């Protein structure tokens, strides 16, 4: 065999061979990835900058604070993580300033979600059916902020490469979502979900979520820059997290409906 062909053969083998210590259970892999994506530390907060670009290259900017607290944390030892609360508060631009979003995430029932609209001084309850709609005009969905319930989908380990577990997920209730399936590329070393591609009812990719930059913060692998591409519209949203802190000791009182109108200063600074 010529050297070039030998190298190509070895390269292909290294990219497809499964190591002895690779995981083979899809649900275990998904639980670990979900823990890394949404359960680092017992709580956390950050500031975020969001750039929204439409198909005509028109740009919008958002700046907001985001905070999260675990109500009960089952850990990453194979057991399901627990309920959580999320809070988002917008600082800029002027047309969304003081808008606030609150999620109480439950594992045994639909999440409770509220949106505060300061121009109307109105707290609006977000219906469960609206969780996969645009989050304040971006290509993120409300569900992207707090995560999708693991038991809503069937998971299958489609492929194992030298760097990733590739998981295929199909909804248990197809009529409740706009996608027919999605695939997730999960980093084998740190279990960060690096890319997710959603497919429509015709099996065509139409939405991609990607972790553009990953950093280690306080020992936790963290996606610090995320990009969502909408292949149907041609637009995309880029979100960057800064000033990330874990285990800051946030109180459960911070995550109440009262905080939507009057957010505690340490929650949004």
């Amino acid at each position: 065999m010529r050297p070039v062909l030998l190298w190509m053969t070895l390269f292909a083998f290294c990219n497809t061979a499964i190591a002895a210590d690779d995981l083979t259970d899809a649900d275990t892999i998904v639980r670990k990835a979900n823990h890394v994506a949404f359960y680092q530390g017992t709580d956390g907060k950050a500031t975020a900058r969001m750039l929204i670009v439409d198909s005509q290259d028109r740009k919008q900017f958002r700046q907001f604070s985001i905070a999260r607290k675990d109500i009960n944390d089952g850990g990453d030892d194979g057991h399901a993580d627990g309920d959580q609360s999320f809070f988002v508060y917008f600082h800029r631009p002027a047309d969304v300033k003081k808008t606030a979003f609150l999620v109480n995430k439950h594992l045994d029932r639909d999440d409770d979600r509220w949106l505060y609209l300061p121009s109307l001084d109105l707290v609006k309850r977000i219906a469960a059916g609206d969780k996969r709609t645009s989050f304040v005009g971006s290509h993120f969905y409300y569900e992207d902020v707090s995560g999708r319930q693991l038991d809503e989908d069937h998971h299958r380990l489609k492929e194992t490469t030298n760097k990733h577990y590739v998981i295929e997920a199909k909804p248990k209730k197809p009529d409740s979502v706009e996608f027919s399936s999605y695939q997730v590329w999960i980093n084998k070393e740190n279990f960060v979900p690096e890319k997710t591609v959603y497919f429509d009812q015709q099996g065509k990719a139409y939405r991609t979520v990607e972790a553009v930059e990953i950093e280690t913060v306080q020992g936790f692998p963290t996606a610090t820059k995320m990009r969502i591409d909408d292949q149907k519209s041609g637009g995309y949203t880029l979100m960057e997290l800064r000033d990330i802190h874990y285990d800051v000791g946030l109180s459960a009182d911070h995550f109440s409906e009262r905080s939507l109108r009057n957010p505690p200063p340490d929650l949004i600074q």
Side-chain angles (χ1 to χ4, degrees), residues 14-266:
C14 291
N15 276 274
T16 58
I18 299 177
D21 57 350
D22 282 344
L23 299 177
T24 57
D25 182 70
D27 290 332
T28 298
I29 296 167
V30 169
R31 283 197 299 269
K32 286 179 174 290
N34 186 68
H35 182 84
V36 169
F38 295 102
Y39 287 88
Q40 303 283 43
T42 58
D43 63 23
K45 65 178 185 177
T47 58
R49 296 179 183 232
M50 182 181 283
L51 169 65
I52 307 167
V53 183
D54 68 14
S55 60
Q56 300 180 45
D57 205 35
R58 293 176 297 196
K59 298 177 175 64
Q60 299 181 60
F61 294 91
R62 304 274 191 267
Q63 183 175 331
F64 55 91
S65 298
I66 183 168
R68 178 264 304 172
K69 180 176 178 59
D70 296 352
I71 306 304
N72 52 73
D73 191 342
D76 61 352
D77 57 355
H79 298 289
D81 291 301
D83 293 356
Q84 294 176 302
S85 293
F86 292 83
F87 187 86
V88 178
Y89 179 86
F90 285 84
H91 299 280
R92 297 177 183 173
D95 61 340
V96 296
K97 185 176 182 180
K98 296 185 179 181
T99 297
F101 174 56
L102 173 66
V103 181
N104 286 332
K105 180 179 178 180
H106 308 291
L107 298 188
D108 59 351
R109 62 186 188 276
D110 287 334
D111 298 345
D112 297 312
R113 304 168 190 264
W114 297 270
L115 184 68
Y116 173 61
L117 303 172
S119 59
L120 302 175
D121 192 26
L122 173 67
V123 174
K124 175 184 177 182
R125 184 73 176 262
I126 299 174
D130 293 336
K131 62 186 178 182
R132 291 195 62 78
T133 58
S134 173
F135 177 61
V136 293
S138 74
H139 296 91
F140 282 81
Y141 291 158
Y142 286 100
E143 188 177 66
D144 294 324
V145 177
S146 55
R148 182 169 172 81
Q149 298 280 17
L150 299 186
D151 62 1
E152 292 187 89
D153 304 315
H154 295 289
H155 302 104
R156 179 176 73 91
L157 179 58
K158 183 176 182 179
E159 183 182 3
T160 300
T161 72
N162 64 324
K163 291 185 178 181
H164 298 99
Y165 296 112
V166 184
I167 298 291
E168 180 184 63
K170 293 186 177 182
K172 294 180 180 179
K173 297 180 179 179
D175 295 339
S176 67
V177 291
E178 84 288 354
F179 60 84
S180 64
S181 67
Y182 61 91
Q183 292 182 23
V184 189
W185 282 256
I186 297 171
N187 186 294
K188 289 170 60 176
E189 182 177 348
N190 56 25
F191 288 92
V192 172
E194 294 185 344
K195 185 173 73 169
T196 303
V197 178
Y198 291 86
F199 298 87
D200 62 19
Q201 301 303 324
Q202 288 71 46
K204 184 177 180 180
Y206 72 94
R207 184 173 188 259
T208 301
V209 181
E210 188 172 5
V212 179
E213 291 183 7
I214 300 169
E215 300 177 18
T216 300
V217 180
Q218 294 175 229
F220 299 116
T222 304
T224 57
K225 185 177 289 187
M226 302 286 294
R227 175 172 171 141
I228 294 186
D229 284 274
D230 184 339
Q231 283 91 336
K232 289 187 176 180
S233 72
Y236 68 90
T237 294
L238 187 66
M239 182 174 71
E240 182 178 2
L241 296 178
R242 301 179 178 181
D243 302 320
I244 303 170
H245 299 282
Y246 294 109
D247 294 322
V248 294
L250 297 176
S251 167
D253 294 337
H254 288 68
F255 300 85
S256 66
E257 288 188 64
R258 182 176 61 255
S259 295
L260 287 167
R261 286 188 171 89
N262 300 292
D266 58 338

